[in-house]
Amino acid sequence: MPTFLEFKIDLDNFIEDLSRRLENNDNNIDKLLTISDKTYINFVKPMQIMEESLDQFFTPLSHINSVNNSDKTQEVYANSLPIITEYSTKLSQNLDIYLAYKKILENEKATLNHEKKRVLELNILNFELSGAHLDKKTKARLQEINIKKSELSNNFSQNILDATNAYEYIICDKKDIEGLPESDIKNAKFEEDGITKYRFTLQMPSYIAYMTYGKNEKIREELYKAYVTRAPQNSQIIDELLLLRDEMSKLLGFSNYASYSLASKMAKDEHIVLDFLHTLAKKSKKQAQEELATLQKMSIKPLQSFDTAYYSEILKREQYDLDEELYRPYFEQKSVIHGTFEFLNKLFGIEFIKTDEKLWNEKASSYDLYLNEKLKARLYLDLESRKGKSGGAWMHNWQTHSKDDKTNEHLASAFIVCNFPASSHENPSLLRHDDVVTFFHEMGHAIHHMLSAVDEYEVSGVHGVEWDAVEFPSQFLENFAYEPHVLKLFASHHETGETISDAMIDKLVRSKNFLSAMGMLRQLEFSIFDFTLHTKVYQGDAIQNLIDSLRKETALIKTPSYNKFQNGFSHIFSGGYAAGYYSYKWAEVLSADAFFCVVDEGIFDSKTAKKYLDIVLSGGGSKSMEVLFYELMQREPNPTNLLRLNGIR
């Protein structure tokens, strides 16, 4: 059997293959349930192996639908969702399996290791959160809800992608592109009927370029308006999703979806989460108001939402003499990738070796990861923006480190997807420093999954990690993208080879927390909105009214009435962050605390970094992150380090 799976997908026969697999699984489950003396080895392990095999089969479809979206992938993905959701729901509600897991835990608790106990405990919790213990009528309704939710979430995401792909703004007057970086001008430039024109879209590299550097206020507003009014049909999807989530929660015995969400997280109750968020907002607001007052001095007119990126860039240059465009030649994409690899080698002893593998796109690549000269995992990179590719950046796991029922070791693999500027024969992909931070962030997720030493699939890598702790490893790593010793490893001019100067690094580090309190308030606005939205049923205009009321606390610039931000809030309506967006800040407390400890120890000589590898990265989801963090630091997290990290007094 090969160490890593070959990336391939048969779209023409996918639905048929999926149905056959699920039918085989159902038959195997029926056989397993006939075992009279069920044990972890003869019952739980085969269940895990089936789940792993199904995940490995389905992941390429969800991946290709995100990175090479087409009518065909949309059709197959949309048609597969009801099938896979019905199977998953039925499985998660199977009373016989639920009772078997409870009995096995009771019988073998004294002899099972902590990994196996964690598998059983999390499965029992998940069965209860799926309604396995409820009557047939209720379970049937929960199954209907889950199928409908998955369809709606997919439609939400597809609507955003379609709207993003459909929009373009054509500039014919060269004056309107004055001030834009030369690389962004080259990417936008095209010829039509003998006339040079410039195309700007809602894809991130293009959109950010004009919002940050475009002098024409009317064009900035036009782009901004197009961005915040995308996919208006999603408002109806939001109403449906919220009703379904509330109904599901109540059927399962919870007062609301927020309470249901917290049942599997580190945070204990709703009040703790909202107090945490509102306290951060209160501590950040005064400094945020001071930052806005300084920013306002850059414009003779009152600032609007579509002005902040543009005038922030001007202010940053004035305060720090920092021109982000001057940095991009030092952050050529390939150099950043290999520099990140070198950093991880120095910090943890990881080595990356490029493979010769045919993938889904010529710009995609793969690397084998070695730890202490032993093959450990495979990493897939797809980093450049293109049409038909979902916006944003993410890590997605494919294979997971585990041992099967014959104790054969299976290695891990993961995808990192970003939307960096596209490279060509004429133009390399030159990144903003924010892009470098993004890559470090996603790499933090990837190594969390790939460096797992856990043998049980369901708690290995990112599996089994509480949702409000899963951002800890990604945020921990991204913080190093500002460290001088780290930047010196790879920040060199792509033409001259000159290493980035100490003066340039100093400006970058000093500017790290530029307008950080304003940024903190914006993230808290998203978090408070998400969590509050799920504490009771909001519909229609009530959703907009909720946002407007929260913005009195968090938004220092009045948001235009046409802004329908919620229609594009993919994290909570098509991702896994519903009533969990607060997790970014919750996990940032952990990451800031651990990061400062490593930095204070000298980074590459840090004992804490070695412990982090051995405890957090190796441990995956085999223990609660609360337990792993205590093992790492020998104390509880210190929340003041979060404010320190963000430069908030």
Side-chain angles (χ1 to χ4, degrees), residues 23 33 92 100 114 171 213 222 231 248 264 284 288 354 358 430 483 493 544 572 602 631 648:
E23 184 180 349
L33 286 171
S92 66
H114 74 274
I171 295 176
Y213 300 101
E222 178 65 30
M248 181 193 75
S264 56
S284 304
K354 197 172 191 303
K358 185 175 174 58
L430 303 181
E483 284 300 307
H493 199 286
Q544 190 63 52
I572 71 169
E631 288 181 10
I648 296 174

Side-chain angles (χ1 to χ4, degrees), residues 481-504:
Y482 285 92
E483 284 300 307
H485 293 306
V486 177
L487 288 169
K488 288 274 190 180
L489 293 176
F490 62 86
S492 57
H493 199 286
H494 74 101
E495 291 178 333
T496 67
E498 175 195 8
T499 302
I500 193 169
S501 68
D502 291 335
M504 289 183 74

Side-chain angles (χ1 to χ4, degrees), residues 306-319:
F306 47 83
D307 292 326
T308 53
Y310 177 73
Y311 286 106
S312 293
E313 179 63 21
I314 295 173
L315 177 61
K316 185 184 282 188
R317 290 191 194 190
E318 182 178 284
Q319 284 192 343

Side-chain angles (χ1 to χ4, degrees), residues 21 34 37 45 47 57 145 203 206 210 257 290 346 365 376 399 443 523 558:
R21 281 174 175 266
T34 64
D37 184 18
K45 199 71 176 181
M47 292 289 293
F57 171 75
I145 289 172
Q203 292 175 9
S206 179
Y210 204 89
Y257 189 83
E290 293 169 358
K346 287 178 175 292
S365 57
K376 187 72 178 171
Q399 295 172 261
M443 183 63 77
Q523 286 298 308
K558 185 172 174 58

Side-chain angles (χ1 to χ4, degrees), residues 509-548:
V509 172
R510 285 191 293 113
S511 69
K512 173 180 178 289
N513 289 321
F514 175 67
L515 304 184
S516 61
M518 288 176 63
M520 174 74 81
L521 279 186
R522 180 167 168 76
Q523 286 298 308
L524 291 171
E525 178 183 303
F526 299 162
S527 300
I528 297 169
F529 166 67
D530 162 50
F531 202 79
T532 307
L533 185 67
H534 289 97
T535 57
K536 66 178 186 179
V537 178
Y538 288 87
Q539 292 284 282
D541 292 341
I543 296 172
Q544 190 63 52
N545 293 338
L546 172 62
I547 298 176
D548 293 341

Side-chain angles (χ1 to χ4, degrees), residues 344 348 350 352 369 376-377 379 395 397 399-401 412-414 416 440-454 459-477 590 612-613 615-625 628:
L344 291 171
F348 297 127
I350 309 169
F352 294 84
L369 182 157
K376 187 72 178 171
L379 174 67
M395 185 285 293
N397 49 289
Q399 295 172 261
T400 298
H401 182 273
S413 64
I416 292 180
F440 270 59
H441 179 100
E442 301 307 335
M443 183 63 77
H445 280 308
I447 63 172
H448 186 202
H449 184 71
M450 296 188 298
L451 293 180
S452 174
V454 178
V459 293
S460 182
V462 295
H463 296 297
V465 179
E466 298 98 330
W467 203 251
D468 49 3
V470 78
E471 295 296 331
F472 167 26
S474 55
Q475 293 167 341
F476 170 78
L477 202 70
L590 309 180
Y612 176 81
L613 169 64
I615 295 171
V616 176
L617 298 182
S618 296
S622 63
K623 296 179 183 177
S624 167
M625 190 61 79
L628 292 177

Side-chain angles (χ1 to χ4, degrees), residues 226-259:
Y227 189 80
V228 300
T229 58
R230 287 178 303 167
Q233 66 271 46
N234 278 351
S235 62
Q236 184 177 344
I237 291 178
I238 291 171
D239 283 352
E240 289 186 69
L241 274 172
L242 292 176
L243 284 173
L244 290 169
R245 287 172 181 173
D246 186 71
E247 182 186 355
M248 181 193 75
S249 304
K250 287 184 167 63
L251 288 173
L252 291 167
F254 295 92
S255 57
N256 54 47
Y257 189 83
S259 180

